[in-house]
């Protein structure tokens, strides 16, 4: 058992309501399976009496908060981040595919996986749903490294048997065999999960999408991850490929790829019928605001998402996204929310933004009560924030008169310097 005394930020059960304990105590200890989980959380004054003989690490002036959850990120695109391109499709062709082709080499994958996980942790991200590449070895590299570090990490081999260049294109039947082999090898091992990963509709043949959907039906607790309706050229391309489908999203539905634990990045150019379909099937959106602003793809409609009530949370989408930092992503989500020319503009509350990248993202992934929060029973993945990490942060946060003001200052001014330490449950 171990306890930490600091300010605490977490979320009330089943809500986006932030709780802030100025002088708090977080007690961590093993659960029945021996995994380190939160045993108690609350004010230092009330809780310290219940745990009199416990060793307490005192962190004055620091805030302990849940580790961030990134709902959509491409680990092989470390070196693609910040590449100039004329929108999504040229960006894929000129940068993404050539870089991803290097991951046929297991050594290259291992080096990238180590760097990638270091970078996640430096930025306070403790769980991610990640694309690997089409090479099975790229999944082994990432999940092998995540296992060494005791991380809760989900990843999958990309499926792309058409409209893809040599070096990343896979073979229909073999790709499905490889996927099932990787599910059996990794899913549910330690804290790891597997995601069936069709890249997007244009890159997958009908047979590959059908096979992916069959696997998604057979392995119900395995995740599904893909992209939908990011960009108008892409939407038009899918319309050409499937002229009879009601919408782009509907194509995934036809193949059995909409269900709980299915996560689609972007969901920008969709309508209310699509939103209802997401709601009714339990499908989640990974909102990727830095990527959408960088590639000029469009703006996620928060008002429509709330109105129709489907699951969503935040994601970096590195390398289309421009930063690993959850603070950059939350700030970009605020910009996207504010945009009011193409859809209704709204000012997202700072606690709401934070929730979307922690407990809300965990809920959208089907991991509610396990990660993304610090309620009793949650796995003890957390960050220690120093709100005085930079001169401007120190000046600004000292003047915060409310929790909203404090959180918004951290979101707007924060970066990796704010993350003093990232603590992983079992590490
Ligand atoms: Zn993506």
């Amino acid at each position: 058992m171990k306890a930490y005394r600091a300010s605490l930020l977490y979320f009330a059960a089943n809500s986006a309501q932030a709780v802030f304990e100025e002088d708090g105590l977080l007690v961590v200890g093993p659960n029945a399976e021996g995994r380190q989980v939160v045993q108690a959380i609350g004010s230092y004054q009330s809780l310290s009496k219940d745990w009199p003989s416990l060793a307490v690490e005192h962190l004055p002036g620091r805030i302990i908060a849940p580790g961030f959850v990134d709902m959509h990120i491409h680990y092989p695109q470390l070196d693609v981040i910040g590449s100039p391109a004329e929108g999504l499709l040229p960006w894929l062709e000129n940068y993404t595919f050539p870089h991803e082709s290097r991951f046929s080499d297991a050594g290259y994958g291992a080096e990238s996986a180590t760097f990638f996980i270091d970078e996640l942790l430096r930025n306070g991200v403790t769980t991610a749903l990640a694309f690997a590449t089409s090479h099975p070895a790229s999944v082994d590299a990432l999940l092998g490294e995540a296992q060494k570090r005791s991380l809760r990490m989900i990843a999958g081999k990309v499926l792309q048997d058409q409209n893809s260049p040599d070096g990343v294109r896979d073979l229909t039947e073999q790709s499905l065999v490889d996927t099932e082999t990787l599910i059996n090898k990794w899913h549910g091992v330690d804290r790891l999960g597997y995601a069936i990963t069709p890249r997007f509709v244009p890159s997958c043949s009908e047979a590959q999408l059908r096979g992916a959907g069959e696997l998604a039906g057979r392995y119900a607790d395995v995740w599904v991850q893909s992209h939908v309706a990011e960009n108008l050229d892409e939407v038009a391309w899918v319309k050409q490929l499937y002229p009879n489908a009601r919408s782009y999203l509907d194509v995934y539905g036809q193949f059995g790829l909409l269900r709980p634990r299915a996560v689609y990045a972007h969901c920008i150019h969709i309508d209310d019928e699509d939103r209802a379909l997401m709601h009714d099937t339990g499908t989640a959106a990974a909102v990727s605001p830095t990527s959408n602003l960088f590639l000029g793809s469009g703006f996620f409609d928060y008002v429509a998402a709330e109105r129709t009530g489907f699951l969503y949370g935040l994601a970096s989408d590195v390398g289309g996204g421009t930063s690993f930092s959850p603070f950059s992503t939350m700030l970009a989500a605020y910009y996207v929310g504010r945009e009011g020319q193409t859809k209704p503009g709204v000012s997202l509350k700072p606690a709401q933004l934070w929730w979307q990248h922690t407990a809300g993202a965990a809920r959208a992934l089907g991991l509610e009560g396990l990660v993304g929060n610090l309620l009793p029973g949650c796995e003890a993945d957390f960050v220690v924030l120093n709100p005085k990490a930079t001169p401007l942060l120190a000046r600004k946060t000292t003047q915060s008169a409310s929790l909203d003001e404090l959180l918004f200052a951290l979101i707007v001014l924060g970066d990796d310097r704010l993350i003093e330490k990232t603590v992983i449950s079992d590490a």
Side-chain angles (χ1 to χ4, degrees):
M1 294 285 236
K2 184 152 189 213
Y4 303 85
R5 182 180 181 181
S7 295
L8 302 172
L9 172 68
Y10 58 104
F11 294 90
N14 307 313
S15 91
Q17 183 73 44
V19 180
F20 189 75
E21 199 69 64
E22 183 74 44
D23 182 14
L25 191 72
L26 175 72
V27 182
V28 172
N31 66 6
E33 291 110 56
R35 189 157 282 160
Q36 294 294 318
V37 300
V38 176
Q39 299 287 344
I41 189 165
S43 82
Y44 177 79
Q45 221 191 349
S46 63
L47 273 185
S48 54
K49 292 187 219 98
D50 303 340
W51 307 84
S53 56
L54 211 54
V56 176
E57 184 175 342
H58 193 194
L59 300 163
R62 303 299 189 269
I63 302 168
I64 288 180
F68 290 98
V69 176
D70 192 330
M71 287 184 67
H72 178 76
I73 186 165
H74 299 254
Y75 103 86
Q77 292 180 16
L78 268 178
D79 301 308
V80 179
I81 196 167
S83 298
E86 302 274 327
L88 172 68
L89 301 176
W91 175 83
L92 281 172
E93 194 178 325
N94 297 328
Y95 291 100
T96 305
F97 292 152
H99 276 288
E100 291 195 8
S101 68
R102 300 183 191 173
F103 284 75
S104 55
D105 172 6
Y108 189 81
E111 185 276 330
S112 297
T114 303
F115 191 101
F116 174 79
I117 287 177
D118 285 344
E119 198 61 21
L120 288 180
L121 295 177
R122 239 166 46 70
N123 283 285
V125 177
T126 51
T127 288
L129 173 59
F131 271 54
T133 65
S134 54
H135 317 96
S138 70
V139 175
D140 292 337
L142 180 61
L143 292 183
E145 185 63 23
Q147 186 178 36
K148 267 192 233 160
R149 315 257 198 125
S150 306
L151 294 178
R152 187 165 284 286
M153 181 73 60
I154 309 159
K157 173 210 132 46
V158 175
L159 299 168
Q160 51 181 122
D161 66 350
Q162 66 175 25
N163 294 316
S164 307
D166 293 349
V168 294
R169 194 178 55 256
D170 59 10
L171 300 167
T172 314
E173 214 159 295
Q174 188 61 44
S175 73
L176 299 167
V177 170
D178 288 343
T179 296
E180 191 162 16
T181 303
L182 289 165
I183 290 172
N184 291 319
K185 182 170 182 182
W186 291 111
H187 186 72
V189 174
D190 295 337
R191 303 179 76 198
L192 306 173
Y194 191 82
I196 299 161
T197 309
R199 181 164 214 122
F200 68 147
V201 163
S203 74
C204 301
S205 66
E206 280 191 48
Q208 196 175 40
L209 287 172
R210 189 170 301 112
E214 279 166 14
L215 288 170
R218 213 147 14 100
Y219 295 94
D221 65 338
V222 161
W223 281 265
V224 174
Q225 59 177 346
S226 190
H227 300 91
V228 74
E230 175 175 6
N231 163 299
L232 290 173
D233 293 340
E234 173 209 10
V235 173
W237 192 6
V238 172
K239 185 82 205 159
Q240 260 174 23
L241 294 169
Y242 292 88
N244 297 323
R246 200 204 69 83
S247 67
Y248 185 167
L249 186 76
D250 182 50
V251 177
Y252 292 116
Q254 286 176 23
F255 290 108
L257 289 163
L258 302 179
R259 65 155 170 69
R261 294 199 168 190
V263 177
Y264 287 82
H266 310 304
C267 302
I268 295 173
H269 306 286
I270 59 174
D271 61 15
D272 271 1
E273 216 167 309
D274 287 327
R275 294 182 181 100
L277 183 59
M278 293 188 68
H279 172 269
D280 295 346
T281 53
T283 301
V287 183
S288 307
T290 72
S291 173
N292 299 154
L293 294 172
F294 181 68
L295 291 168
S297 303
F299 303 90
F300 182 79
D301 187 340
Y302 277 98
V303 172
E306 279 303 305
R307 189 180 63 231
T308 47
F310 64 85
L311 295 165
Y312 65 89
L314 284 175
S316 66
D317 191 27
V318 162
T322 51
S323 175
F324 277 77
S325 175
F327 303 104
S328 293
T329 301
M330 291 188 285
L331 178 57
Y334 182 79
Y335 297 153
V336 164
R338 276 277 7 119
E339 190 277 337
Q341 310 303 311
T342 66
K343 44 108 185 135
V346 62
S347 283
L348 297 168
K349 295 272 180 267
Q352 236 292 326
L353 290 164
W354 209 291
W355 181 79
Q356 285 177 36
H357 222 339
T358 53
R363 177 168 162 248
L365 289 175
L367 293 174
E368 191 173 27
L370 206 58
V371 294
N373 208 348
L374 294 174
L375 291 171
C378 286
E379 296 173 350
D381 291 345
F382 61 87
V383 291
V384 178
L385 306 175
N386 176 6
K388 296 196 163 83
T390 70
L392 187 56
L393 267 170
R395 186 180 170 101
K396 181 72 186 164
T397 56
T398 308
Q399 296 174 52
S400 300
S402 66
L403 181 58
D404 266 4
E405 288 184 11
L406 173 66
L407 296 183
F408 209 41
L410 299 179
I411 289 170
V412 173
L413 300 175
D415 55 30
D416 54 305
R417 291 170 292 180
L418 195 48
I419 308 287
E420 192 165 84
K421 198 173 166 191
T422 301
V423 177
I424 297 301
S425 168
D426 292 332

